[in-house]
Amino acid sequence: MFDKEVYIKRRKILKSNFDSGILLFLGNEDSPMNYADNTYHFRQDSTFLYYFGISEPALAAVFDIDSDEIILFGNEMGIDDIVWMGRQKTLKEKSVDSGLTHVQPLGELDEYLIQYKQKKRAIRFLPPYRPENKIKLASWLDISITELKSAASVKLIKAVVAQRSKKSAEEIVELDKAASISADIHLMVMQQAKPGMYERELAAKIQEAALSYGGNLAYAAILTVRGEILHNHYHGNILKEGQMVLNDSGVETALGYAGDLTRTFPVSKKFSSKQKDVYNVVLDAYTNAKNALAPGIRYLDIHLTSCKTLTQGLKDIGLMRGNVDDAVEAGAHAMFFQCGTGHMMGLDVHDMEDLGEQYVGYTDDLKKNTTQFGLKSLRLGKALETGYVLTVEPGVYIIPELIDRWKAENKFVEFINYEKLDQFRDFTGIRVEDDFLITEKGSRMLGKHLALSVDEIESIRN
Ligand code: GLY
Ligand code: MN
Ligand code: MN
């Protein structure tokens, strides 16, 4: 945990947005994998971590704005828990570490809320994403599960998003740490990958390293020779000479802060000339995008810069043609780049995605208002502010099924050279990804430098 003053200050800032009512926060529970006692790895809810720092299942907290008190609801370990799990810090001790003074048994929350509802004061909560919390909230508040999302408090969502979006000094230390550890692991993978290995052998090394550094993976690693499959979690292929490995993996620190890095490297000692050409196009898009990061710049424009750079580069290779601006406006580049250039990052790898993209990535003035393939997957569009942490992750992905579909429809023939593209059907995909902090002057990459250029990567592979 951070020092208790950090949590006290965060709660004070949040409270100052409200004049009355209560704010109800639910922590996560242990989630059964195949039976109740065999659970998935426990991960606390990120907003709960942000305001309380206590990573323990089955907690809830109430900010009572009217009486100006904050109550933590949870249960102390009983003797059975101690027998099976060993003596741990008591909840009371943890609450003191968090700067809290008031703890009540979890069973009393129900009665507390009933009494509160009778006073007809507002009970504000965030949109729940775990089934257990949906069931609890629906029952406590006497509304249906389907109504919960719209009943969540927009005012509370906006206040939390505003606060969590701007990372404080102690958070930046954690995010730098997450990015540096992730970079070390990427380097180790690039050094150890060999033709003949299974992808899963490398995925296992990533998992092992993340645990040995004292944290965990921030998300399931994408480690694949089929890099065109955007969120590919299959690890059963054997690495072969001539292929590329796309490694998108990052750790979360013990306090829960994420790193999210991608590198693509050749299984052989060197990239083929075709791979090198496309790699450099992706690298140009990355460089132009990261150089444009600054407060006041809309991430939508960063994304369009990266799309236009990709389009120009693919035109130079002969895969695209026509006017670059027109091609991007029409969405023709999405044959090669079907997703967004990046997203916010923090306690979640896609930070605050549970709170709603319209609040985290967009604003009332800049609503996401498109169904265009590619652009509709951009998670972040709004103007950047100092303290934001985000990723830049352009890529080129050659998806045979998409080629066949668009070619059959004669789609964007003025912008896509389908004849040339046929020679790239089995090319797979390339992405590079780093994490950036928005600063007053522009941006700073988080963590240590990780081999990025073709030369740097090939020198590791040799
Ligand atoms: N690791 C998932 C992403 O890059 O968004
Ligand atoms: Mn990412
Ligand atoms: Mn990633």
Side-chain angles (χ1 to χ4, degrees):
M1 282 173 78
F2 294 121
D3 189 87
K4 65 174 183 280
E5 296 306 325
V6 169
Y7 302 105
I8 291 170
K9 185 172 160 204
R10 288 175 178 176
R11 294 191 293 258
K12 195 168 161 204
I13 293 172
L14 181 67
K15 230 167 37 172
S16 69
N17 291 281
F18 299 90
D19 299 325
S20 67
I22 63 171
L23 315 178
L24 172 62
F25 292 96
L26 298 185
N28 283 338
E29 286 192 37
D30 264 328
S31 206
M33 201 160 57
N34 47 349
Y35 53 91
D37 279 350
N38 195 24
T39 57
Y40 289 104
H41 160 71
F42 173 72
R43 176 55 158 78
Q44 183 59 288
D45 171 74
S46 293
T47 298
F48 201 90
L49 266 187
Y50 183 82
Y51 290 109
F52 303 98
I54 307 175
S55 185
E56 176 179 316
L59 298 178
V62 163
F63 286 52
D64 186 332
I65 306 292
D66 302 312
S67 67
D68 197 21
E69 70 183 344
I70 298 175
I71 308 168
L72 180 67
F73 288 90
N75 295 330
E76 293 291 0
M77 288 180 114
I79 188 65
D80 278 347
D81 301 313
I82 293 171
V83 167
W84 288 97
M85 294 157 66
R87 152 74 59 210
Q88 292 162 31
K89 260 192 178 180
T90 65
L91 185 58
K92 183 76 198 156
E93 286 164 341
K94 291 178 186 172
S95 74
V96 170
D97 291 345
S98 177
L100 294 161
T101 51
H102 199 148
V103 184
Q104 282 181 224
L106 188 60
E108 293 178 9
L109 179 55
D110 199 358
E111 184 56 29
Y112 180 96
L113 292 172
I114 290 170
Q115 302 239 337
Y116 204 85
K117 264 193 317 192
Q118 284 167 357
K119 294 184 200 159
K120 298 216 177 318
R121 298 239 173 86
I123 299 177
R124 295 190 170 91
F125 58 93
L126 298 172
Y129 54 93
R130 290 260 182 133
E132 305 87 10
N133 283 345
K134 289 185 184 181
I135 294 167
K136 275 187 280 183
L137 271 176
S139 135
W140 288 334
L141 305 178
D142 203 16
I143 52 178
S144 73
I145 286 181
T146 49
E147 283 169 320
L148 281 171
K149 202 167 170 199
S150 57
S153 164
V154 172
K155 184 170 171 163
L156 179 57
I157 293 172
K158 286 184 170 176
V160 171
V161 168
Q163 213 177 340
R164 282 184 55 191
S165 293
K166 289 176 83 91
K167 273 54 181 183
S168 58
E170 64 275 352
E171 293 187 284
I172 293 163
V173 169
E174 286 294 306
L175 288 158
D176 261 321
K177 198 194 298 176
S180 283
I181 295 170
S182 303
D184 284 341
I185 296 175
H186 273 261
L187 178 61
M188 177 270 290
V189 169
M190 279 192 252
Q191 286 165 336
Q192 297 196 7
K194 288 194 177 43
M197 267 184 168
Y198 277 100
E199 295 164 333
R200 58 177 175 256
E201 295 174 64
L202 294 172
K205 289 178 193 294
I206 295 169
Q207 177 89 50
E208 180 196 345
L211 291 179
S212 72
Y213 278 107
N216 211 316
L217 288 178
Y219 53 96
I222 299 168
L223 186 296
T224 177
V225 293
R226 298 286 309 279
E228 82 282 11
I229 303 172
L230 296 177
H231 281 175
N232 188 359
H233 294 131
Y234 177 72
H235 296 141
N237 295 307
I238 295 179
L239 276 54
K240 298 196 183 92
E241 296 273 2
Q243 291 179 322
M244 292 178 288
V245 175
L246 185 150
N247 175 13
D248 180 345
S249 56
V251 300
E252 69 171 21
T253 63
L255 295 192
Y257 286 86
D260 182 10
L261 303 185
T262 306
R263 287 297 184 269
T264 309
F265 61 87
V267 175
S268 306
K269 291 185 166 134
K270 292 197 179 304
F271 287 102
S272 71
S273 71
K274 223 175 179 183
Q275 289 168 347
K276 200 189 296 188
D277 287 347
V278 178
Y279 190 94
N280 282 326
V281 170
V282 174
L283 196 55
D284 282 348
Y286 162 96
T287 306
N288 287 349
K290 75 149 177 143
N291 287 345
L293 294 173
I297 303 289
R298 297 186 313 177
Y299 198 85
L300 172 62
D301 294 320
I302 302 287
H303 173 68
L304 294 174
T305 298
S306 120
C307 295
K308 285 176 190 174
T309 312
L310 288 174
T311 302
Q312 182 60 55
L314 292 168
K315 213 177 130 176
D316 295 342
I317 292 176
L319 287 165
M320 293 193 74
R321 57 188 167 214
N323 180 280
V324 168
D325 290 354
D326 293 348
V328 170
E329 197 179 335
H333 64 285
M335 167 61 86
F336 304 92
F337 184 43
Q338 301 82 13
C339 52
T341 299
H343 51 82
M344 299 281 259
M345 198 188 74
L347 278 165
D348 307 297
V349 62
H350 292 176
D351 211 20
M352 300 172 278
E353 199 157 281
D354 57 312
L355 301 182
E357 185 181 86
Q358 66 272 36
Y359 306 113
V360 180
Y362 293 82
T363 59
D364 291 342
D365 293 337
L366 181 71
K367 293 210 164 75
K368 185 151 98 177
N369 184 20
T370 181
T371 54
Q372 190 184 79
F373 182 63
L375 198 55
K376 71 177 180 190
S377 301
L378 179 64
R379 295 186 164 95
L380 174 60
K382 69 186 180 187
L384 304 178
E385 294 183 30
T386 55
Y388 282 14
V389 165
L390 45 83
T391 68
V392 172
E393 50 179 306
V396 165
Y397 312 104
I398 310 282
I399 302 172
E401 293 81 355
L402 188 61
I403 300 177
D404 293 340
R405 171 78 68 98
W406 282 21
K407 197 173 166 185
E409 293 169 3
N410 264 336
K411 197 162 170 167
F412 297 133
V413 283
E414 65 277 40
F415 299 121
I416 296 170
N417 182 347
Y418 284 100
E419 258 175 48
K420 177 95 179 175
L421 188 49
D422 274 339
Q423 299 164 20
F424 281 74
R425 275 183 81 80
D426 301 323
F427 182 83
T428 68
I430 293 176
R431 168 164 72 255
V432 297
E433 175 177 23
D434 277 314
D435 308 327
F436 294 89
L437 167 70
I438 303 302
T439 61
E440 269 170 34
K441 291 200 185 111
S443 74
R444 172 175 78 74
M445 197 191 83
L446 290 168
K448 54 173 79 157
H449 175 78
L450 173 64
L452 182 65
S453 70
V454 165
D455 285 350
E456 284 175 322
I457 287 176
E458 288 184 346
S459 74
I460 294 169
R461 296 296 298 144
N462 266 305

